Amino acid sequence: MVEDSIFLKSLRGEEIPRFGVWLMRQAGRYMPQYRQLRAKARDFLDFCQNPTLATEVTLLPEKLLGVDALILFSDILVPLIPLGVEVKFLPQKGPVLKAPPPEEWKDFEPSEVEYVFETIKRVKYLSEKPLIGFSGAPYTLAAYILEGETSRDFREIRKLYYQNREKFHFILSKLTQMLKTYLSEQIKAGADALQIFDSWAYTMSPQMFAEYLPYVEDIAQFLKEEAPQTPIIYFFRGSGHLYQIAGQKLKSVDCFSIDWTLRIEKALEGFKNKAIQGNLDPTVLYADKKTIERSVIELLTEVSKNRKTLYVFNLGHGLAPDMEMEKVKHLVDTVKSFYL
Ligand code: CP3
């Protein structure tokens, strides 16, 4: 039963024999099997919109890595398309977006991204593993929309915050509304947990972050009322300077997924009754196997001194295309052989 999985038990604070593990971008270009499937699609968006391919990709890490949870294969930018935002993924450049003014956005119609829910249903039919659904967080999505492409410091959304606070809030509330529907439809389709990705949270000042977080709390609260059993995970980069505010403002979030800018001791202290996920610097995967092993054990030892559940292993951010699969597998195996 999926309910008895290490991943879900750990998020609920129940007793577990070892910490669970999954990795962000676990099905990605570093995997030869991913590249093979990817070659069957016209482009990346077509890949996400084809439930047959998306299902196969989602399932790859179960057999190839032995992870404890699967994550839906899609992208955070996908649900912007029904709003009327044009989204393209250019091979060298990454995503490129063109959005109409927010007053002209269409109401989010979930049937326009039926392929996402269809993929969830198919994965649930084919695998016993817990399946994580996801979305971007309002800030990270707004940052992309205003910038039109990826960026080092996402100045456009921050400029808007100071130039036109009302518009800043209007965009965030529009996105929040869409995300409630989108995520609740993922639960209905069968997602066992949800992760909200705030990859660009680190570009915010603590004041701005505090003013913004009620949108994330609103989404989490809404979902907790609809589906109290489904854990909500909030991933935010910039945990080092933002974790205390996140802890204060996000009462309805079950798990905080942190990057490597925060000492694990601080996280354990700061998120006392909440689950924690992540923390290891992903670039450790460029080192030799012994170093990888030592880093994992060091982290897990520190966590296990403080708690024996309410922790899920992950990296501080996603796997990169130039990482070696053998080392990724070794990382997963190391976590799985650490008994509590
Ligand atoms: O974690 C997973 O394995 C699930 C699938 C997933 C993808 N993107 C697949 C993907 C998830 C959860 C995402 C989320 C996502 N997408 C985020 C938040 C997490 C993060 O990484 O910070 C962001 C910021 C995006 C936006 C995005 N999508 C970028 C910046 C890029 C291009 C960068 C790159 O790696 O090329 C993408 C494309 C993308 N999304 C790829 C994958 C596997 C690579 C596309 C390809 O196969 O060519």
Side-chain angles (χ1 to χ4, degrees):
M1 276 279 283
V2 69
E3 289 307 320
D4 302 324
S5 64
I6 286 182
F7 173 72
L8 289 174
K9 279 186 155 183
S10 187
L11 290 177
R12 290 195 299 256
E14 293 168 20
E15 199 177 318
I16 45 170
R18 59 167 177 84
F19 290 123
V21 48
W22 72 276
L23 304 169
M24 290 184 270
R25 292 268 165 100
Q26 60 189 13
R29 282 164 293 178
Y30 76 97
M31 236 178 209
Q33 295 81 352
Y34 171 94
R35 297 196 296 269
Q36 247 172 25
L37 288 170
R38 172 81 161 77
K40 296 187 183 179
R42 236 181 313 121
D43 51 35
F44 179 67
L45 202 54
D46 181 46
F47 197 28
C48 294
Q49 293 176 333
N50 179 328
T52 306
L53 292 177
T55 301
E56 266 191 82
V57 188
T58 305
L59 292 170
L60 286 177
E62 179 173 4
K63 295 234 161 51
L64 295 172
L65 300 176
V67 287
D68 295 302
L70 300 176
I71 177 155
L72 164 72
F73 188 78
S74 184
D75 196 86
I76 59 166
L77 304 177
V78 159
L80 299 179
I81 300 168
L83 302 180
V85 178
E86 198 184 289
V87 178
K88 281 195 197 130
F89 290 89
L90 304 182
Q92 297 309 321
K93 198 163 184 283
V96 177
L97 300 87
K98 250 197 220 114
E103 301 76 30
E104 291 171 26
W105 291 357
K106 290 187 276 177
D107 284 339
F108 178 72
E109 176 48 65
S111 64
E112 287 181 36
V113 287
E114 189 55 42
Y115 51 85
V116 170
F117 313 122
E118 177 62 25
T119 303
I120 293 177
K121 287 176 197 161
R122 291 193 194 187
V123 172
K124 286 307 294 174
Y125 181 75
L126 293 169
S127 169
E128 304 271 290
K129 292 277 172 204
L131 175 64
I132 305 165
F134 72 86
S135 76
Y139 178 79
T140 288
L141 292 178
Y144 266 114
I145 289 171
L146 288 166
E147 204 76 28
E149 61 186 5
T150 200
S151 152
R152 201 160 43 95
D153 56 358
F154 289 91
R155 297 164 67 96
E156 293 306 320
I157 175 96
R158 288 156 53 220
K159 271 157 68 180
L160 185 69
Y161 174 76
Y162 296 106
Q163 290 173 338
N164 188 342
R165 194 69 55 93
E166 205 179 321
K167 186 169 174 194
F168 173 84
H169 282 291
F170 182 69
I171 292 178
L172 291 173
S173 53
K174 281 275 204 192
L175 291 168
T176 297
Q177 202 183 342
M178 176 277 278
L179 291 167
K180 285 181 183 172
T181 309
Y182 183 51
L183 290 170
S184 94
E185 289 296 320
Q186 291 189 33
I187 298 176
K188 285 180 203 153
D192 300 295
L194 295 172
Q195 177 154 319
I196 301 173
F197 286 88
D198 226 346
S199 308
W200 312 127
Y202 72 89
T203 61
M204 279 183 271
S205 68
Q207 293 85 337
M208 186 174 169
F209 189 57
E211 188 173 331
Y212 149 74
L213 276 186
Y215 292 103
V216 179
E217 174 60 15
D218 186 19
I219 296 168
Q221 202 174 31
F222 172 83
L223 296 167
K224 289 307 311 174
E225 278 165 24
E226 283 223 322
Q229 299 309 317
T230 309
I232 312 292
I233 307 167
Y234 177 62
F235 167 72
F236 62 125
R237 281 204 290 159
S239 318
H241 74 293
L242 299 173
Y243 78 103
Q244 284 163 316
I245 304 167
Q248 282 158 17
K249 301 265 176 187
L250 299 178
K251 301 291 181 215
S252 304
V253 162
D254 301 286
C255 176
F256 291 87
S257 194
I258 57 173
D259 67 5
W260 61 95
T261 59
L262 178 60
R263 283 176 67 99
I264 190 66
E265 293 87 343
K266 294 254 181 210
L268 292 162
E269 216 182 283
F271 300 124
K272 275 226 162 56
N273 302 310
K274 299 282 188 177
I276 298 169
Q277 178 178 273
N279 191 236
L280 196 64
D281 183 347
T283 57
V284 72
L285 281 162
Y286 297 104
D288 55 80
K289 285 187 177 177
K290 271 273 159 262
T291 306
I292 296 171
E293 219 172 284
R294 249 188 284 120
S295 311
V296 170
I297 291 170
E298 197 186 328
L299 172 63
L300 296 182
T301 303
E302 202 53 50
V303 176
S304 65
K305 273 196 249 163
N306 180 279
R307 53 176 79 184
K308 309 254 180 232
T309 181
L310 287 176
Y311 177 78
V312 175
F313 181 87
N314 208 314
L315 298 167
H317 197 206
L319 294 170
D322 63 351
M323 287 172 174
E324 288 171 50
M325 192 150 121
E326 204 191 311
K327 288 184 179 176
V328 177
K329 175 82 167 71
H330 189 65
L331 173 95
V332 172
D333 288 342
T334 307
V335 179
K336 288 170 76 179
S337 54
F338 187 97
Y339 287 96
L340 291 168

